[in-house]
Amino acid sequence: MESVQQVAEKDKSPDTVLDRFQSIGLAEMEHASLQDRKESKYLLTAEQARDLISHLPDTYRVFEVNGQRVQTYSTTYYDSPHLNLYLTHHNGNKPRYKVRTRSYVGSDLSFLEVKEKKNTGRTIKHRLQTDGLITSLGADLREFFSSCLPYDYSQFMPVLINEYKRITLVSTTGPERITLDVDLSYHCASADLSLPEIVIAELKRSSEHSDSPAFDYLTRMRVKPKGFSKYCIGISLLYGNLIKHNNFNMTLRLLQKMMHGGPIRW
């Protein structure tokens, strides 16, 4: 069975899943940086993800770094000892926040990020570029956190590592991009878990951008948006009975169903 990455990294030919798209680099991504955006997430099988990519028009371009169209991401999430940020999300409260450090492995870039979900449903990402992946949140970061996080971060500690590979398609007709995350794996101090058959698609648009072929085709596929937080699902899966997760049980059952659907050929 070939993975998304294996298909995407084959020798160039008109029949490969990403080859028909022109590339876009970091410098050209500015119009679709979308730090203030609306998001829709979808849980897909590998087959559904390939179907989606195959039906997108050539008004999308694929993000490429150093000749690679599939990027590797490593994210470390921070939370309080009692996982208060997780519980805020689990309980459905807003505004809510996630604190993470993220390494873009292929481009040697690292950021400290605070992701804020507002009462309006809009998502704002605050980020600070760092020299390498930081492993603790020291006093030198106080100015950054005071501008975007209404909590005392001094007790925050790393609680979860999430790694995955990402394909990013960027619209040339408006501020929109769609990402497809594959080969998800989770790690904490006591456990590891992989979700190799799951693709998380995320459609990110500005509030004013409504014309989206990606959204239209997902609707034709009868795939509905599904709330999916990589952080919260990872905590639910790895921390088990140590933390409540009943509000995520429907998503966890769907994951189990998708994971046991048998091999999917790409």
Side-chain angles (χ1 to χ4, degrees):
M1 181 182 67
E2 293 178 311
S3 69
V4 178
Q5 182 188 18
Q6 287 171 324
V7 170
E9 291 180 348
K10 280 183 177 179
D11 292 339
K12 303 293 186 182
S13 77
D15 296 326
T16 57
V17 69
L18 296 177
D19 189 66
R20 65 187 179 87
F21 296 103
Q22 294 185 10
S23 63
I24 185 171
L26 272 173
E28 303 168 278
M29 287 274 283
E30 188 62 32
H31 82 281
S33 60
L34 295 172
Q35 303 304 313
D36 183 355
R37 66 205 187 200
K38 58 182 179 180
E39 301 175 338
S40 300
K41 293 183 180 180
Y42 303 82
L43 279 179
L44 305 176
T45 64
E47 186 177 8
Q48 288 174 319
R50 178 167 183 147
D51 186 31
L52 170 64
I53 294 173
S54 298
H55 285 84
L56 292 179
D58 58 10
T59 52
Y60 288 87
R61 298 172 69 185
V62 61
F63 179 52
E64 183 175 310
V65 177
N66 298 327
Q68 298 297 315
R69 294 186 165 195
V70 181
Q71 279 73 48
T72 300
Y73 285 46
S74 179
T75 304
T76 300
Y77 290 93
Y78 288 76
D79 209 332
S80 71
H82 298 293
L83 300 177
N84 289 335
L85 297 183
Y86 165 85
L87 290 172
T88 297
H89 191 148
H90 176 274
N91 296 336
N93 297 330
K94 295 178 185 176
R96 58 178 178 250
Y97 301 83
K98 293 186 183 71
V99 175
R100 66 195 187 193
T101 56
R102 173 167 286 178
S103 174
Y104 300 79
V105 177
S107 54
D108 295 322
L109 291 174
S110 297
F111 294 89
L112 170 63
E113 299 179 345
V114 173
K115 192 173 182 180
E116 176 186 2
K117 186 81 166 185
K118 290 187 168 293
N119 291 321
T120 60
R122 292 166 59 201
T123 300
I124 297 179
K125 187 163 68 174
H126 311 270
R127 61 171 14 184
L128 176 70
Q129 188 168 352
T130 59
D131 294 327
L133 191 62
I134 62 176
T135 57
S136 61
L137 306 180
D140 56 317
L141 299 171
R142 189 174 306 279
E143 182 178 352
F144 170 73
F145 280 117
S146 65
S147 69
C148 58
L149 185 71
Y151 299 106
D152 177 10
Y153 73 92
S154 63
Q155 299 300 311
F156 282 18
M157 59 185 184
V159 296
L160 184 73
I161 296 174
N162 172 221
E163 296 175 343
Y164 55 91
K165 294 177 173 62
R166 171 170 287 184
I167 296 167
T168 302
L169 292 157
V170 182
S171 172
T172 60
T173 61
E176 174 200 333
R177 69 178 185 268
I178 183 166
T179 58
L180 296 107
D181 296 342
V182 303
D183 294 342
L184 271 75
S185 63
Y186 290 108
H187 317 277
C188 69
S190 59
D192 301 284
L193 179 70
S194 297
L195 301 176
E197 301 294 341
I198 303 301
V199 179
I200 302 173
E202 187 169 1
L203 185 59
K204 308 171 187 184
R205 297 178 285 169
S206 71
S207 300
E208 297 78 24
H209 185 65
S210 57
D211 183 18
S212 170
F215 176 81
D216 292 342
Y217 194 73
L218 284 162
T219 302
R220 286 174 57 192
M221 292 170 65
R222 298 183 179 178
V223 178
K224 296 182 180 180
K226 179 70 178 176
F228 189 100
S229 163
K230 294 188 191 72
Y231 174 56
C232 291
I233 294 302
I235 292 291
S236 299
L237 289 169
L238 293 190
Y239 283 72
N241 295 330
L242 298 177
I243 193 75
K244 67 177 181 177
H245 52 74
N246 52 293
N247 285 345
F248 299 128
N249 281 345
M250 185 177 296
T251 300
L252 295 173
R253 286 194 294 269
L254 178 59
L255 280 176
Q256 287 292 327
K257 181 179 179 180
M258 294 173 73
M259 288 292 293
H260 290 89
I264 300 168
R265 292 193 175 275
W266 269 73

